Amino acid sequence: MDDSISIKTENLGRIYKKEGGVLEALKNININVNRGEIFGLLGPNGAGKTTLIKILTTLLLPSSGKAYVLGYDVETETLKIREKINMVSGGEWAGYGILTVRENLWMFSQFYGIPTKKAKREIDKYLEIFGLEEDANTKISKLSTGMRQKMNIIRGILSNPEVLFLDEPTLGLDVQIARTVRSFIKVWMKEKEGRTILLTTHYLNEADELCNRIAIIDNGEIHALDTPQGLKKILKNKIMYSVELERESYLNLKELPYTTKFTVNPLKDGKIEVKFQIQDENKIVDIFNYLKNNGFNLVSFRKREPTLEDVFIEIVGKEFKEDE
Amino acid sequence: MNKEYIIRNLKAILGRAYPRVIAANREYSWIIADIILPLLSVIAYGTLYKFLGASKDFLGFAVLGGAMSAFWLNVLWDMASQLYWEKMSGNLQLYILSPISLVSILLGMSIGGMLATSLRAAATLIVGTFIFKLDFSLINITQLLLVFFLTLAALYGLGMMLASLYLIWGREAWHLSEFFQEPVYLVSGMYFPVKFLGKVGFFSSLIPLTVGLDGLRQLLFKEGATFGFLSVNIEILILIILTVIYALLAIYYLKKMEYLARKEGKLTIRWE
Amino acid sequence: MGIIKKFLNDFKSSFYLGWKIESNWTDPLLFFIYSLAKPLSSAFILIFMYMIISQGQMNEMLPHLIIGNALHLYTANVLFGMAWTVIDDREFYETLKYIYISPVSMFQFLAGRGFAKYLITTISSFIIIIFGFIFLNVRFTPIASWYIYFPIFLFVGSISLFIIGYFFAGINFLISRQGSFLTQSAAGVFLLLTGAIFPIDTFPGFLGKVGIYIPQTIWIDGMRKILLGDGWNSFFINMSINRMLSMLIIENIIYFIIIFLFFNFSLKIARQRGLIDQRTMG
Ligand SMILES: Nc1ncnc2c1ncn2[C@@H]1O[C@H](COP(=O)(O)OP(=O)(O)OP(=O)(O)O)[C@@H](O)[C@H]1O
Ligand SMILES: [Mg+2]
């Protein structure tokens, strides 16, 4: 197999048995992830992201199709794969509460055969990078979510994996720590050539910032796969507007003629923000008139660049809730 | 199987044994609990024997049983139930995706557990000896050591096997351990010579503690042989066979558990 | 009598809640484990020890043992159950804080949970006694007016279970999960000191006397007297059943006052130190 490809799936499918039938969590997935790439999986809850990661990390068998990591078959060549990968999930509670941060990390390093001396040196290095050196001797039952997740990430990279799987690595982290994690991921990728990261996230800006390529997945199917810029190009013929409106009493805007993909967000002071796309630039005056006649006063408006969110709405057909 | 893989697994065994040994020394309340709770039973059963006018060796039987019960509790609550808790905490999937055999994880837990528990068992034995002023008469030290270590080997082999079975059975681990705890005290003759159970004794010989404890009693007390179930040599043979069988079954069920986990996608899920 | 009505109403709802939580006996396997396998095995260890040593003699003691064992089961389950509820609900279900802030008082909530345990234990105790009757030829030789004394003694003794239960629950409000072995070992200590499986004076000196001041001792030995004609603790041997009853009632009253104060005190401390929703599982 081509050495520049680190993850490859061929018509990969996975079903789960459930009451009264089966659930198709993944359907005919075909992806190629290159070495040196941060590859993002973006999709709503239950889309199948974790299922895909579990298959690739040898925790789950495919129901149909094939999957290869570093050229090895996930079904049969598990040991070969396991030697070279690692995984970190958001909100995981790995380790033993009675051990300290340093001891836990050391324990996990032993499962990868790292000599104790080297392991200790590396652990101290990463603890410092993540600003955890003060908590190195704290029992992990006493850690906050953020500290715990930093430790989890150190656990994941300690074995120096060639492919790292990150399942919502910034879940539940505050802005500051999430930023630390993101910038670390970028540095780590540059540190050594040929590393690969497959990452799932619910945060579109995170995917936009980190990923070389993104697959949008929903209902077990891949709906689009491209670079962030490429994805945004899907919307290049669409004219996008964002309009801020004042409204008399609490009127509801249920429809807006000439527009597609229109969404309403309430703002402060009873104002609302309306986003929409139009095909014909000339219709914008008619739209403003329509709004005025229905009791909405224009505060501001701007034509805007498409974001990943727009792409997401375009493809998945529903709004993406950042706080889910 | 290359050398690197073997070294990695040896390291993993040590790595997994570490928290066991540490936990034994770090939480004082656990240590006290693990000594006090068995001791209360030992005192209760010993005093009952005294009240009934039993010979001193019977008090010794009860004390020895209480001391060995520490291993049974350790096997039930920290071995058999352990993979269930590892699953709940998310450790199990990290163990599965590590490039080592799960057998190493279980071996590490066993070794750590044995070391930690030996201290507690010794404490029960010493305090019990002191309270009831027991007389030991050492019959044969080689056989004694052999019986003791073979008992532990077979017992922890059983624990390793149960660990996978608990997951495969799919019931809450604590219910299963509760289910085994007292009934095994009864059928393995933890507090009285198993000889008195008659034919049931053969059936309960499947539990390594039954023959192990019987052997230890024969080798440590004057009256031991009088109340012995089988001859010590036969018991040693049984323990060897049990060790081999449980070790093989433990490996088999671990493989099966991992396969089921990957196939059904269930066993690594935190809350089903 | 609005207060009593309200208490009964609250009790009913917390009993119902407790019953729901404890009623895993509707699951056949769990019923088998907790109501049959465990209690019967423990009872059988004792019975075997008796039979091995006595070799057929001294069998008149067996009924005493069986009654002691069946009643001790209540002590172990109700008392330990109420205490453990505090830790379990605090740290496993994490519901204790909601109960604390709900109008059902902690006092009633624990009574309800304890009562559910009480009823379930009755099944096990009954099975032990039936078993003794059928297989071990255990026969009751009750005193003449047993039908008056039995229900009264059962009732008064049961009350003391709950009173002592509040004591250990109160302790558990203040300690961590790791410390809970203190209350776990309570059942074991009670087994030793209340003369359930051997007379209290089998212990030398002071240890053989403390039992007198534990209501359960009087309860168990009183029940023996009512059902078998005599008890086995020398202290009560010549005491009339009426006197034992009065002694039990007096101990109940004294303990109730002390423990009521202690329980409220420990709730107060727990609230002050934020222990109601502490998680010490680790
Ligand atoms: N072990 C399982 N048994 C049965 N169904 C499962 C199992 N694991 C996942 N599913 C189902 O498969 C679908 C995909 O789940 P998956 O966890 O892969 O989604 P996800 O994209 O990771 O979602 P989220 O963003 O919420 O993490 C869901 O409908 C889920 O309910
Ligand atoms: Mg997921």
Side-chain angles (χ1 to χ4, degrees), chain A residues 235 237-242 254-264 274-280 283-284 287 304 310 313-314 317:
Chain A
L235 299 174
N237 297 322
K238 308 278 166 69
I239 306 156
M240 316 193 71
Y241 274 91
S242 170
K254 293 207 184 67
E255 52 178 2
L256 198 54
Y258 316 116
T259 66
T260 53
K261 305 282 171 196
F262 112 97
T263 62
V264 182
V274 180
K275 294 180 186 170
F276 54 81
Q277 299 174 8
I278 48 175
Q279 309 292 336
D280 181 356
K283 285 282 189 278
I284 191 72
I287 292 170
R304 50 183 197 92
D310 300 310
I313 295 167
E314 178 77 21

Side-chain angles (χ1 to χ4, degrees), chain A residues 46 49-51 167-168 200 202:
Chain A
K49 305 180 295 291
T50 301
T51 302
D167 195 0
E168 302 184 39
T200 79
H202 282 163

